[in-house]
Amino acid sequence: MLPIVETNGKILYINSNKVTFPYKIEQVLILKSQILILLDSCIKNEYDNVYSVNFDGTIGWRVQSRKYLSREYENKKLTSYVGMYVRKETNLLQLNDWWGGRYIFDLNDGHIVGRDESGRDW
């Protein structure tokens, strides 16, 4: 059974549990075994703004940072994520950043598994 989930600014309520985040909650996805949270995308120097929360209110994971992924990202200006959805065909999480980048993550641990560049000419 899915929990009752509500938000109020920085606070996530899961049944009787309260989870407070450092920034405003922008988007919530309730899945079968976890709740995905996208925090405010306008916070400067906050790039890894997606969390998984267990139904008991504990943090399952925070999305893996791109800046430790490869040399490609060492000098790149990173931006926060602005949207998220679960790809039903693969059961992977897609996060979109301000630059239009589409990154794919494992829902079990928040680790990045790839970048989607299909349909991009640039």
Side-chain angles (χ1 to χ4, degrees):
M1 181 175 200
L2 294 177
I4 297 170
V5 177
E6 297 178 23
T7 62
N8 184 359
K10 301 179 191 179
I11 301 172
L12 173 72
Y13 298 96
I14 308 168
N15 294 328
S16 61
N17 298 309
K18 176 180 167 182
V19 183
T20 303
F21 288 94
Y23 309 108
K24 181 180 177 251
I25 297 168
E26 282 192 357
Q27 185 180 356
V28 176
L29 294 178
I30 304 170
L31 306 180
K32 291 179 187 173
S33 62
Q34 65 188 331
I35 302 165
L36 300 178
I37 304 296
L38 173 74
L39 298 182
D40 190 339
S41 57
C42 295
I43 304 298
K44 191 173 184 167
N45 298 323
E46 184 63 41
Y47 314 120
D48 308 318
N49 58 324
V50 177
Y51 292 81
S52 169
V53 181
N54 300 314
F55 290 168
D56 65 0
T58 58
I59 302 295
W61 48 258
R62 182 176 184 183
V63 73
Q64 180 185 18
S65 178
R66 290 165 285 172
K67 67 181 175 179
Y68 301 110
L69 188 60
S70 71
R71 291 207 175 271
E72 173 189 355
Y73 297 99
E74 283 183 7
N75 298 314
K76 184 177 180 180
K77 181 170 171 49
L78 297 177
T79 64
S80 60
Y81 296 108
V82 297
M84 65 177 176
Y85 78 96
V86 175
R87 293 178 162 197
K88 292 187 192 306
E89 69 277 3
T90 59
N91 202 38
L92 294 171
L93 174 65
Q94 177 175 313
L95 299 177
N96 305 321
D97 71 9
W98 276 108
W99 298 114
R102 296 174 294 195
Y103 299 88
I104 312 303
F105 293 84
D106 187 322
L107 283 169
N108 295 312
D109 57 15
H111 285 107
I112 193 166
V113 295
R115 182 174 178 188
D116 182 356
E117 295 185 27
S118 62
R120 302 281 180 173
D121 295 332
W122 37 275

